[in-house]
Amino acid sequence: MRHLFHVTPSGWAGLATAAFGILVLPSLASSYWLSVFTSMGCFLLAIAGVAFMYARLGMVSLTQVGLMGVGGWIALRLNHAFDFPFEVNLALAATATMIFGWILALPALRMRGLYLALVTLMAAGGLEIIFATFQFPNGGAGFWGVQTGSGAAFRRPWIAQSPQAYLRYVIACALLGFLCIELHRRLQPGRAWALIRRSEAAAMAAGVNVTLYKTWAFGIAGLLGGAAGALLAGSLGLLDDGTFRASESVMIFALAVVGGAHSWQGALIAAVLYKVLPALLNIWGVDANLAFVIFGAGLLHAVITAPQGIAGQVLEGLGRLSPKRGAKDA
Amino acid sequence: MLEIEDVTVRFGGVVALSAVSVRFDKAVNGIIGPNGAGKTTLMNVLSGFVTPASGRVVGDGEALLPLAPHRRAHWGLRRSFQKEEIADDLTVFENVLVQIDHSRSPARTKTAEVEAMLALVGMADRAGKRGAALSGFERRLTDVAKCLVGKPRLVMFDEPAGGMSVDESRQLGRLIRQIHGTTGAQVLVIDHDVELIRSICEDTLVLDFGRRIAFGPTAEVLDDPRVKAAYLGTEEV
Ligand SMILES: Nc1ncnc2c1ncn2[C@@H]1O[C@H](COP(=O)(O)OP(=O)(O)OP(=O)(O)O)[C@@H](O)[C@H]1O
Ligand SMILES: [Mg+2]
């Protein structure tokens, strides 16, 4: 209870980074980079969800981008069907995605090991097909709401109409996502997760309902994924099924491991690799497939030398420089 | 009071427990037997990690087998594992708190209870230390504190003194003997250390190849020729 609002050095660094993102970044970026950073912020939120679940419980979810698609679909659907403000659409999309994720994963959450990875991968494949077949609502008639030609307008949050303001809004949401995870980690669920990761038998013997707390973790990841999808819909005003392929879900999980699932820095590295690196390659006129080569090398690097990811290595290096603060504080 | 009736456990072709019946009614009870005798399996049945092919377990008048493992913990079952299970990234305090997190009593009451039990085992001064930084003995003491919070009814130790020095093992024995007085819980101890069993257990159950070969007051049981025979040749006791 005492530690609930304690800010670690790593926490201060995170707040400072978010402050930089909110106060400085939008005024420096061109419109190209505004859109890159905004979409990076959305994926950062989604990556925070998968990374946290992997770091805290060793659970592998391979459908996070699929869940973003679900959140985005619901946000678009609501936007074109009703007159709710953006925040209501965002909250409803995130909640509905969380429940959707539960329904997908509940059978696998009762089992250990690779089942969750397999079930979520199948779900990602199924979602890919559904999105490709039905597309995303753009103001058309009927349940699927798709019309040909240009779509209807998407209402952004009234405090974030301009691209600069919307980037700030997305970063603030990502910060809230990280704070939500950190808060859980410091309370009862965090204690239960720590024990479950140590040993499920020990957790049960300590009175922890293992299925409940795994489901809870998956729910948080779903919530963040759904919110990320709704924010992405707000950034572009429309969504394209190509964004939500199953391979993208596998990719962001792999990048979360490469970056380092245990810290916010790792999630940020993953999001930068996923969105900023291809944008840079694009500017330099290099084949975007080079990004895959770099990702692959990063994954090998992580598997071979850095179980805590790139962020783990950097933090460890910093920890060596200042003996007082270990990387464990992250 | 813990009644175990006709409990049989099979793992494929191995009969790990064969129609074991026993009624523990003393404050501190021992379970001994050679390696592979089925001691841990019996504890796993009580914890709910192993479902017996047949049999009944009744604790304080309540049938335990139908309850899910975490429900048994809520009922008052506590279990310390052969290898202590302390979460590395939680503090000593938090590791103990987990055990009563599910209870609805106010946070202040829970905090006070955790602090009291940490003081009892002698870990109060290290309450803020992280699990990863603890020595083996400190981990075991934390584990004991965890078994004491939340009004336990039955506390089980699986080889708690494994890998400990003589002094540590004595200190642990003293703590285990205090459990009944402090919490009212009945205690069940598995150990290969016959001296520890002799010094703390009133009644002792002896298992061999999954069968009950003796049960009764510890001193008598340890003098039983059948018990000596079971240990002969299997290992030095
Ligand atoms: N999960 C399992 N699957 C298959 N066989 C098992 C399992 N658990 C235990 N056994 C077998 O059941 C028998 C009893 O094992 P158990 O662990 O209960 O013995 P023990 O008395 O605790 O021994 P030790 O003193 O070595 O800890 C052994 O033959 C063991 O190999
Ligand atoms: Mg054993």
Side-chain angles (χ1 to χ4, degrees), chain B residues 35-36 38-41 82 158-159 190 192:
Chain B
N35 289 109
K39 307 180 295 294
T40 301
T41 302
Q82 222 158 329
D158 194 352
E159 302 194 26
I190 294 179
H192 283 294

Side-chain angles (χ1 to χ4, degrees), chain A residues 132-299:
Chain A
T133 310
F134 296 103
Q135 301 294 319
F136 286 84
N138 61 359
F143 177 74
W144 298 103
V146 179
Q147 65 190 17
T148 44
S150 62
F154 188 90
R155 293 182 304 282
R156 278 189 176 177
W158 65 267
I159 52 163
Q161 296 289 334
S162 70
Q164 286 85 355
Y166 196 72
L167 173 57
R168 288 191 191 99
Y169 192 90
V170 168
I171 294 174
C173 288
L175 177 63
L176 280 180
F178 279 100
L179 290 178
C180 162
I181 290 173
E182 184 60 18
L183 191 69
H184 275 87
R185 201 178 70 74
R186 294 178 182 204
L187 289 169
Q188 181 173 349
R191 293 192 283 272
W193 292 330
L195 205 56
I196 292 172
R197 192 172 45 147
R198 170 79 199 187
S199 134
E200 290 196 9
M204 287 189 252
V208 171
N209 184 340
V210 172
T211 306
L212 173 75
Y213 281 101
K214 280 183 165 180
T215 307
W216 192 326
F218 197 84
I220 292 177
L223 189 83
L224 298 186
L231 286 168
L232 194 65
S235 147
L236 311 166
L238 46 89
L239 292 173
D240 172 61
D241 63 291
T243 315
F244 305 104
R245 297 213 173 95
S247 55
E248 304 303 308
S249 289
V250 177
M251 180 69 78
I252 67 160
F253 176 79
L255 287 176
V257 175
V258 170
H262 288 263
S263 58
W264 67 263
Q265 291 93 335
L268 184 59
I269 291 171
V272 168
L273 286 174
Y274 187 67
K275 279 291 159 189
V276 177
L277 182 66
L280 276 176
L281 294 179
N282 183 21
I283 286 190
W284 295 334
V286 183
D287 185 348
N289 284 326
L290 184 60
F292 291 108
V293 177
I294 297 173
F295 294 167
L299 192 57

Side-chain angles (χ1 to χ4, degrees), chain A residues 1-3 56 185-186 188 190-192 194-195 197-199 201-202 204-210 328, chain B residues 49 69-70 73-74 79 81 83-90 94 97-99 101-102 107 130 139 146:
Chain A
M1 267 118 269
R2 295 177 282 258
H3 330 290
R56 296 291 145 216
R185 201 178 70 74
R186 294 178 182 204
Q188 181 173 349
R191 293 192 283 272
L195 205 56
R197 192 172 45 147
R198 170 79 199 187
S199 134
M204 287 189 252
V208 171
N209 184 340
V210 172
K328 278 271 150 80
Chain B
F49 302 146
H70 68 277
H74 300 178
R79 161 97 186 246
F81 290 81
K83 182 178 179 311
E84 14 60 37
E85 297 290 3
I86 298 298
D88 281 344
D89 40 8
L90 297 183
E94 289 170 324
L97 182 59
V98 174
Q99 187 78 55
D101 255 339
H102 68 88
R130 298 163 65 84
R139 295 170 85 85
K146 205 167 146 181

Side-chain angles (χ1 to χ4, degrees), chain A residues 27 75 279:
Chain A
S27 46

